[in-house]
Amino acid sequence: MRVLIIGAGIAGPVTAMALRNIGIEATVYEARRGQPESPGLFLGLGVNGMRALDELDLLEPVLREQTIPTPRSEFRNAAGQLLGIVCNGSLRDGIPSVTISRGALQESLAVAAQSKGVQFHYGKRLLTYQVASDSVTARFTDGTEACADLLIGADGIHSRVRQIMSPIAPGPSYTGLLNFGGIVRDSGLEPTVDTMRMVWGRRAFFGYTVRDDGEAWWFANIGHKSEPKRDELDEISMASWRQKLVELFSADPAYITHLIRRAPSIWVAPIHDIPSIPRWHRGRAVLVGDSAHAVSPSAGQGASLAIEDALVLAKCLRDLAPTRAALERYEALRKPRAERIVAVGRQRGNYKAPPNRAAAWLRDLMMPIALRLFATEERLAWIHDYRVDWHEPITPAPA
Ligand SMILES: Cc1cc2nc3c(=O)[nH]c(=O)nc-3n(C[C@H](O)[C@H](O)[C@H](O)COP(=O)(O)OP(=O)(O)OC[C@H]3O[C@@H](n4cnc5c(N)ncnc54)[C@H](O)[C@@H]3O)c2cc1C
């Protein structure tokens, strides 16, 4: 079987390697011309995602990148008081879950895949694809084509493959939040040691972690009712964004405005998710990662779900025939979990920008109780303890 993979983000390279492990030749086509465009944005890699990488011997190359161990998330209120601590988990041998630059993660996965012989073609933006009885042909915006037995859409939240496969499928849904991020090389703050510290501020939400050498990585989420277009966001200068953030966090712990002021650049993007689409596969095409189920960063699970998808899809193709049965089983195994986690992300995001002071007060009152009851290791085990055992065969769907 020959496979075309559209997208070299996270799901694409991992799927290519999982397929290569079972003797399927996969080629990756990526719209970008080279390096990931936004290396400054970072993400929390869940232990479930790390465990899945480990199944394919990919964890070590990823951990060779610059990472910050963050096995704990600490939640504070606007007065700086501790409301609760949530365990993000550790792997075998105590390897902690980590925060990593999104670009570094993508790059390390691409390099690992290339070193195993997977071919990548950059500057190839999928325009459309056509399915015939015995093949699928992808057409790119540069006029070239590629043909294979199966096409995998790993092309992210704004997936072209999804649009072609299911023109009526709902697109990304705006969550009402804007996401900001920055990196401060020499922050002058104490290291946060194994901790991502989050603050439910009076008017917005802030998270940061400080490495041992003083470098701080921060993000902020603010409420913004109507969905802004990308060019509207770009028209606003960085100085204006900085001023707005400083104003919003002016009554919160001082380290927040300190970090906002000292970041050389600030990234901004609206947060979207995709709660559910009717189908993940059709004919000779199938979706993995954000293209099927984009999850808000509030869940901290988008990358991990994409990696899990890659393994499960490859296992289904390995163990089940015909291909249609494999794709059906893959969707049945993955959709309920992915949609449940997308809902968790949406719910967590809803607490981040309270509509008024009363709502913020009530949230801060309830949060210590909610964290103690619902954010325990046991209650989060369904997310963190999930394991895709690469060697365990996939059984056909029960009749
Ligand atoms: C600011 C931010 C913070 C986040 N925080 C977290 C977090 O803490 N934890 C977490 O797990 N997840 C987080 N995420 C989500 C995570 O980044 C995504 O869930 C993950 O990247 C999904 O991987 P993917 O491979 O499906 O898509 P992507 O990584 O988006 O990759 C898609 C690739 O497809 C390419 N592409 C797009 N269209 C085409 C086309 N037509 N033709 C060819 N190529 C195309 C793109 O250039 C891209 O390289 C965050 C995301 C953002 C933006």
Side-chain angles (χ1 to χ4, degrees):
M1 181 188 271
R2 289 161 310 141
V3 173
L4 306 177
I5 297 180
I6 309 299
I10 293 165
V14 181
T15 307
M17 276 181 286
L19 292 177
R20 200 164 181 91
N21 272 1
I22 57 171
I24 294 180
E25 187 194 319
T27 308
V28 180
Y29 294 83
E30 165 59 49
R32 277 184 279 111
R33 302 216 158 262
Q35 298 280 332
E37 280 144 10
S38 46
L41 296 173
F42 54 87
L43 54 81
L45 195 52
V47 273
N48 47 312
M50 292 170 70
R51 195 176 293 117
L53 286 176
D54 206 20
E55 293 283 321
L56 295 179
D57 294 328
L58 287 172
L59 186 58
E60 276 187 34
V62 166
L63 293 182
R64 278 200 291 272
E65 297 294 327
Q66 216 178 62
T67 59
I68 307 185
T70 37
R72 268 196 309 270
S73 294
E74 189 186 277
F75 290 89
R76 293 182 177 266
N77 65 13
Q81 288 160 342
L82 185 64
L83 301 181
I85 291 177
V86 174
C87 177
N88 300 323
S90 299
L91 278 191
R92 54 161 177 88
D93 309 331
I95 298 174
S97 66
V98 295
T99 300
I100 182 170
S101 138
R102 197 164 167 245
L105 176 60
Q106 292 180 345
E107 192 58 16
S108 66
L109 294 173
V111 168
Q114 282 160 346
S115 76
K116 296 207 171 146
V118 176
Q119 276 206 16
F120 281 62
H121 297 283
Y122 288 95
K124 294 283 177 190
R125 179 172 292 281
L126 181 81
L127 178 65
T128 190
Y129 70 82
Q130 268 165 349
V131 176
S133 60
D134 59 351
S135 65
V136 54
T137 302
R139 297 205 162 80
F140 301 97
T141 51
D142 64 359
T144 56
E145 290 184 359
C147 189
D149 302 295
L150 180 68
L151 180 139
I152 299 180
D155 50 345
I157 186 164
H158 302 290
S159 170
R160 182 78 187 124
V161 177
R162 182 184 65 239
Q163 290 163 8
I164 299 162
M165 178 191 293
S166 281
I168 53 152
S173 162
Y174 176 57
T175 61
L177 292 172
L178 295 183
N179 192 25
F180 296 82
I183 289 185
V184 181
R185 295 250 176 274
D186 193 4
S187 69
L189 298 180
E190 287 294 308
T192 47
V193 191
D194 290 350
T195 304
M196 177 63 76
R197 181 171 294 159
M198 320 263 203
V199 180
W200 278 296
R202 284 185 175 76
R203 294 195 280 164
F205 187 84
F206 193 84
Y208 77 105
T209 183
V210 184
R211 295 194 325 202
D212 291 346
D213 64 2
E215 182 168 301
W217 298 7
W218 64 263
F219 70 92
N221 298 151
I222 71 170
H224 191 280
K225 278 216 173 61
S226 58
E227 180 179 356
K229 297 236 161 35
R230 186 66 251 177
D231 49 0
E232 287 167 8
L233 293 177
D234 292 342
E235 270 170 24
I236 299 172
S237 70
M238 201 187 302
S240 308
W241 282 125
R242 198 186 302 276
Q243 194 184 343
K244 183 173 176 62
L245 289 173
V246 165
E247 274 166 29
L248 279 172
F249 289 105
S250 57
D252 297 329
Y255 47 72
I256 299 182
T257 47
H258 171 84
L259 288 174
I260 293 168
R261 285 201 174 94
R262 294 197 55 177
S265 47
I266 294 176
W267 294 273
V268 54
I271 298 181
H272 294 93
D273 62 15
I274 300 183
S276 182
I277 58 171
R279 55 194 308 166
W280 287 17
H281 69 93
R282 183 181 208 149
R284 291 176 176 273
V286 61
L287 303 173
V288 284
D290 273 14
S291 64
H293 51 67
V295 50
S296 148
S298 303
Q301 280 290 321
S304 299
L305 283 180
I307 296 163
E308 291 175 4
D309 282 354
L311 265 74
V312 176
L313 175 60
K315 283 180 54 159
C316 289
L317 289 167
R318 178 190 68 190
D319 298 339
L320 302 177
T323 302
R324 184 188 166 80
L327 301 186
E328 265 167 21
R329 190 78 177 114
Y330 156 71
E331 179 175 325
L333 287 170
R334 294 296 302 158
K335 205 166 185 266
R337 171 171 171 80
E339 291 183 354
R340 195 174 165 199
I341 291 182
V342 175
V344 167
R346 186 53 91 112
Q347 192 191 24
R348 288 186 190 168
N350 288 343
Y351 299 119
K352 287 182 165 177
N356 51 47
R357 276 180 174 214
W361 177 84
L362 191 64
R363 178 198 62 194
D364 291 357
L365 192 70
M366 300 306 294
M367 233 6 122
I369 303 163
L371 288 172
R372 261 203 312 280
L373 288 179
F374 303 117
T376 59
E377 277 183 67
E378 296 76 42
R379 295 300 283 261
L380 296 175
W382 70 275
I383 299 179
H384 294 151
D385 292 355
Y386 182 87
R387 175 169 182 221
V388 186
D389 182 342
W390 177 249
H391 299 287
E392 190 185 29
I394 296 274
T395 50

